[in-house]
């Protein structure tokens, strides 16, 4: 029992850090306060209000007159009470100064401001893990102009992200509370890129339960883990090593095609490949590609249409009809893509 209490105190001290000293000082003053009230009520036979007032003016050293006549023993006790109280206040002031020197208040204020910003986000992206894969994911999403919240349990990576202005939360991504604090119910997509395979499965399962409509992309290290992640609720499962090897092979076998696709996707040239969702109230709903005049008005090429059912129509013909909730895969200039997106 005693050992458990000692371990809990050690964990609390580690959690509070510099604020542990302030907490001890406050507890010490509360004990002195209760001791003073008890002495005046029991030994001097004063009522509670008079005892309370006497302790307040004594510890604050304001110099008011005694509430009632004190006995010689009472005056000796009051003198010691003053010394103990002043010592407690000096201790708290020193601990508070240490907190200011450590920058803890600034850190807490910065975290509070960051959490307030995260709570206002809508349709943002959540990335679990900021390692080699997660950092690239965050960089790409932010470069495209989207909001990102990163969940990471490494304090060193958290400090680096805070310096870089990346919204982040320190904690375990498998925790319901941490996922909810990252705005999971309002997020557009979650990318689970933690190194542990079991953690990826658990994050995916938890995120799917908390937000059934969210798009989940999970990282896998082996083909045998793909089915587990899909059963847990992942919409897409990515194996970084497989994709990296495939890209290297394509760079050798089809270098021109690979370079063109990479530049188009990343926007490295004045040409971009983009997916454009069709809203139900769009003026293009019910029209075929010829009547939509997308090529004539926006100089864009529709290379595929993803139907609401998930069916993918590649190289659609001119009579292919655009339906509500379809997704158009278009290639063209960024400005033209933005103009088409406005009417979709």
């Amino acid at each position: 029992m005693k050992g458990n209490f000692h371990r809990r105190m050690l964990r609390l001290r580690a959690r509070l850090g510099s604020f542990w000293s302030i907490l001890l000082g406050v507890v010490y003053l509360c004990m002195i306060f209760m001791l003073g009230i008890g002495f005046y009520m029991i030994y001097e036979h004063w009522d509670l209000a008079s005892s309370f007032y006497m302790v307040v003016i004594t510890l604050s050293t304001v110099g008011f007159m005694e509430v009632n006549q004190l006995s010689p023993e009472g005056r000796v006790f009051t003198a010691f009470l003053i010394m103990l109280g002043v010592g407690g206040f000096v201790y708290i002031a020193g601990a508070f100064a240490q907190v200011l020197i450590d920058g803890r208040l600034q850190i807490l204020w910065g975290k509070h401001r960051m959490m307030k910003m995260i709570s206002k986000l809508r349709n943002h992206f959540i990335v679990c893990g900021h390692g080699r894969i997660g950092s690239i994911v965050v960089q790409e999403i932010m470069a495209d102009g989207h909001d990102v919240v990163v969940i990471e349990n490494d304090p060193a990576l958290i400090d680096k992200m805070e310096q870089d202005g990346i919204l982040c939360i320190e904690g375990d991504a498998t925790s319901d509370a941490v996922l909810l604090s990252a705005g999971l119910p309002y997020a557009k997509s979650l990318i689970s890129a933690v190194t542990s395979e079991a953690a990826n499965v658990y994050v995916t399962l938890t995120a799917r339960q908390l937000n059934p409509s969210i798009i989940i992309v999970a990282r896998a290290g082996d083909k045998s883990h793909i089915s587990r992640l899909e059963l847990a609720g992942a919409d897409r499962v990515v194996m970084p090593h497989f994709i990296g090897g495939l890209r290297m092979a394509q760079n050798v076998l089809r270098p021109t095609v690979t370079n063109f696709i990479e530049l188009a996707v990343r926007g490295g040239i004045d040409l971009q490949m983009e997916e454009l969702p069709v809203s139900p109230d769009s003026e293009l709903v019910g029209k075929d590609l010829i009547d939509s005049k997308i090529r004539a008005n926006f100089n864009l090429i529709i290379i595929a249409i993803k139907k609401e059912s998930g069916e993918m129509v590649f190289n659609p013909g001119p009579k292919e009809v655009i339906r509500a909730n379809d997704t158009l895969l278009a290639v063209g200039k960024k400005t033209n893509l933005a103009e088409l997106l406005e009417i979709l």
Side-chain angles (χ1 to χ4, degrees):
M1 187 71 178
K2 184 178 180 181
N4 292 335
F5 176 78
H6 181 66
R7 284 192 293 270
R8 286 196 294 268
M9 289 296 102
L10 289 177
R11 286 196 295 266
L12 179 61
R13 181 174 182 175
R15 189 182 308 165
L16 293 177
S18 300
F19 288 97
W20 174 256
S21 299
I22 296 180
L23 177 61
L24 289 181
V26 172
V27 172
Y28 170 78
L29 280 182
C30 290
M31 294 175 62
I32 295 299
F33 201 90
M34 298 303 298
L35 177 63
I37 292 178
F39 176 85
Y40 292 124
M41 290 184 65
I42 297 173
Y43 192 87
E44 297 291 339
H45 305 291
W46 293 1
D47 59 83
L48 177 61
S50 299
S51 301
F52 175 81
Y53 182 71
M54 184 63 185
V55 174
V56 171
I57 64 175
T58 300
L59 294 180
S60 61
T61 65
V62 295
F64 290 163
M65 295 182 60
E66 301 169 357
V67 179
N68 297 311
Q69 186 66 31
L70 281 172
S71 64
E73 294 81 1
R75 295 194 176 190
V76 172
F77 175 81
T78 302
F80 279 103
L81 188 65
I82 293 174
M83 290 186 289
L84 293 174
V86 171
F89 280 118
V90 171
Y91 177 82
I92 292 178
F96 188 76
Q98 184 64 40
V99 169
L100 292 178
I101 294 173
D102 292 342
R104 295 286 297 178
L105 286 181
Q106 184 178 359
I107 294 174
L108 286 177
W109 172 250
K111 290 185 180 296
H112 174 75
R113 184 173 57 181
M114 183 179 295
M115 293 305 300
K116 191 173 182 180
M117 294 174 61
I118 292 175
S119 65
K120 296 180 180 179
L121 294 179
R122 296 294 184 273
N123 293 322
H124 58 288
F125 294 80
I126 299 176
V127 178
C128 302
H130 197 256
R132 290 177 298 177
I133 303 300
S135 59
I136 297 175
V137 173
V138 172
Q139 180 181 348
E140 290 297 318
I141 295 177
M142 293 183 65
D144 208 45
H146 300 285
D147 295 317
V148 183
V149 178
V150 182
I151 299 176
E152 175 60 56
N153 56 10
D154 188 345
L157 293 177
I158 290 291
D159 291 339
K160 186 178 184 303
M161 283 187 284
E162 290 176 348
Q163 294 174 7
D164 295 339
I166 300 175
L167 296 178
C168 55
I169 296 176
E170 183 176 358
D172 187 357
T174 61
S175 169
D176 294 13
V178 173
L179 289 173
L180 291 174
S181 64
L184 180 67
Y186 312 104
K188 179 180 181 180
S189 179
L190 179 140
I191 299 94
S192 183
V194 294
T195 55
S196 170
E197 205 71 44
N200 276 322
V201 174
Y202 195 86
V203 169
T204 302
L205 182 63
T206 304
R208 179 59 67 203
Q209 290 177 341
L210 295 176
N211 186 351
S213 62
I214 194 172
I215 300 174
I216 300 176
V217 179
R219 168 186 174 179
D222 190 84
K223 288 184 178 180
S224 61
H225 300 147
I226 294 178
S227 59
R228 299 177 187 175
L229 288 164
E230 289 177 342
L231 287 174
D235 298 286
R236 299 284 188 277
V237 180
V238 178
M239 292 191 298
H241 300 296
F242 176 79
I243 293 179
L246 183 63
R247 176 63 62 86
M248 293 177 69
Q250 293 299 323
N251 279 327
V252 175
L253 299 173
R254 303 172 184 86
T256 304
V257 174
T258 304
N259 290 338
F260 172 78
I261 294 176
E262 183 175 349
L263 289 173
V265 173
R266 294 175 60 90
I269 54 178
D270 192 16
L271 183 69
Q272 188 166 349
M273 185 183 302
E274 190 63 82
E275 55 180 63
L276 307 173
V278 181
S279 63
D281 55 351
S282 172
E283 62 185 63
L284 299 184
V285 173
K287 296 182 179 179
D288 56 34
L289 290 178
I290 290 183
D291 294 336
S292 68
K293 297 182 180 180
I294 293 177
R295 180 64 184 271
N297 296 336
F298 301 98
N299 194 25
L300 296 175
I301 301 175
I302 305 299
I303 60 176
I305 299 178
K306 181 181 179 181
K307 298 298 183 179
E308 185 178 7
S309 61
E311 177 190 0
M312 185 72 75
V313 180
F314 293 98
N315 191 23
K319 293 299 182 179
E320 186 69 38
V321 179
I322 300 174
R323 305 294 183 185
N325 299 319
D326 283 353
T327 300
L328 308 181
L329 187 59
V331 177
K333 293 184 178 181
K334 297 180 183 179
T335 54
N336 295 341
L337 289 167
E339 291 174 359
L340 176 59
L341 184 60
E342 291 181 359
I343 69 171
L344 289 178

